Amino acid sequence: MRKPALIRCSLVVGLLLPVVAGAAELYRYVDNQGVTVLSRQGVPPEFIAKGYEVLNEQGRVIQVVPPAPSAEERRRLLADKARAGTDAQLLRLYTSPEDVDRALARKLAELDALIDVVRGNLQSARTQQGNLQSQAAEHERAGRQVPEHLLAQIDNQIAEQQRLKKDIARYQDARKQAQASFAADRARLSELLGARP
């Protein structure tokens, strides 16, 4: 009479043995209804972003996979990473706020030199235009028609002056941007150096 009970017990143990022997890990996650689920198959893809835990065969947590950051958190993390990179570059470039001042002075001197060159070219274009207009006036006073090539040269000088004026405005804008950028770099560097132990 005891044999059938023993056989049944052996059968149950025999069926459970492969499960226990193959039991490596359990995955614990929360589904859409807020129910905590334990699974040997892993975490379904739709729940991975919520985070989950991996448990060993004794039910102890061996790994915690945190929830994926939200879009706002990702933006903040990217901004923080970019800021850290910018700060590191700033500390490589300058050792003191005075270094920033010297770099700004060099940049402004470079831009001022470019502006001076363009202003010289502008004055030269104005002079050439004046000479060409004098030649055109001589033709008109003599009762001759002004040659087309002379009119084209005058138009070219006027167009060149417009281009040179735009260049001057562009360099002046670059000068303002440099002042603002270097001022921001100086302030951030002072902040970083002040924060150092």
Side-chain angles (χ1 to χ4, degrees), residues 109-126:
E110 175 187 316
L111 289 168
D112 288 343
L114 288 170
I115 290 169
D116 287 344
V117 167
V118 176
R119 281 186 177 145
N121 291 343
L122 180 59
Q123 185 56 45
S124 175
R126 284 178 180 149

Side-chain angles (χ1 to χ4, degrees), residues 35-131:
V35 176
T36 301
V37 178
L38 285 174
S39 171
R40 291 195 189 282
Q41 277 73 42
V43 181
E46 64 268 22
F47 302 121
I48 289 176
K50 293 180 179 181
Y52 58 92
E53 295 175 332
V54 181
L55 289 74
N56 66 12
E57 54 273 357
Q58 286 82 34
R60 292 195 184 106
V61 175
I62 57 173
Q63 182 183 0
V64 175
V65 177
S70 68
E72 181 57 38
E73 288 171 324
R74 280 196 300 276
R75 278 193 293 276
R76 187 181 48 75
L77 289 170
L78 286 172
D80 289 348
K81 186 176 179 181
R83 181 60 174 241
T86 303
D87 288 348
Q89 184 179 6
L90 204 57
L91 290 168
R92 276 194 306 273
L93 288 173
Y94 309 111
T95 57
S96 71
E98 291 74 26
D99 287 347
V100 180
D101 296 339
R102 285 188 286 277
L104 172 60
R106 283 192 301 274
K107 183 67 174 176
L108 294 180
E110 175 187 316
L111 289 168
D112 288 343
L114 288 170
I115 290 169
D116 287 344
V117 167
V118 176
R119 281 186 177 145
N121 291 343
L122 180 59
Q123 185 56 45
S124 175
R126 284 178 180 149
T127 302
Q128 274 189 294
Q129 180 191 349
N131 292 339

Side-chain angles (χ1 to χ4, degrees), residues 20-39:
V20 173
E25 297 175 338
L26 281 172
Y27 298 89
R28 181 166 52 196
Y29 62 93
V30 178
D31 67 11
N32 285 338
Q33 284 76 39
V35 176
T36 301
V37 178
L38 285 174
S39 171

Side-chain angles (χ1 to χ4, degrees), residues 142-191:
R144 295 186 305 264
Q145 189 169 353
V146 179
E148 287 297 320
H149 76 277
L150 194 55
L151 293 172
Q153 287 177 328
I154 292 170
D155 288 343
N156 286 343
Q157 289 306 313
I158 292 170
E160 177 68 3
Q161 289 172 55
Q162 293 306 315
R163 186 187 66 76
L164 292 168
K165 285 176 185 176
K166 285 180 184 173
D167 284 350
I168 290 171
R170 188 166 42 88
Y171 289 135
Q172 287 172 335
D173 284 345
R175 203 176 189 286
K176 288 176 190 169
Q177 289 170 5
Q179 287 173 313
S181 174
F182 278 91
D185 284 352
R186 189 184 204 288
R188 182 62 182 158
L189 184 68
S190 296
E191 196 177 308

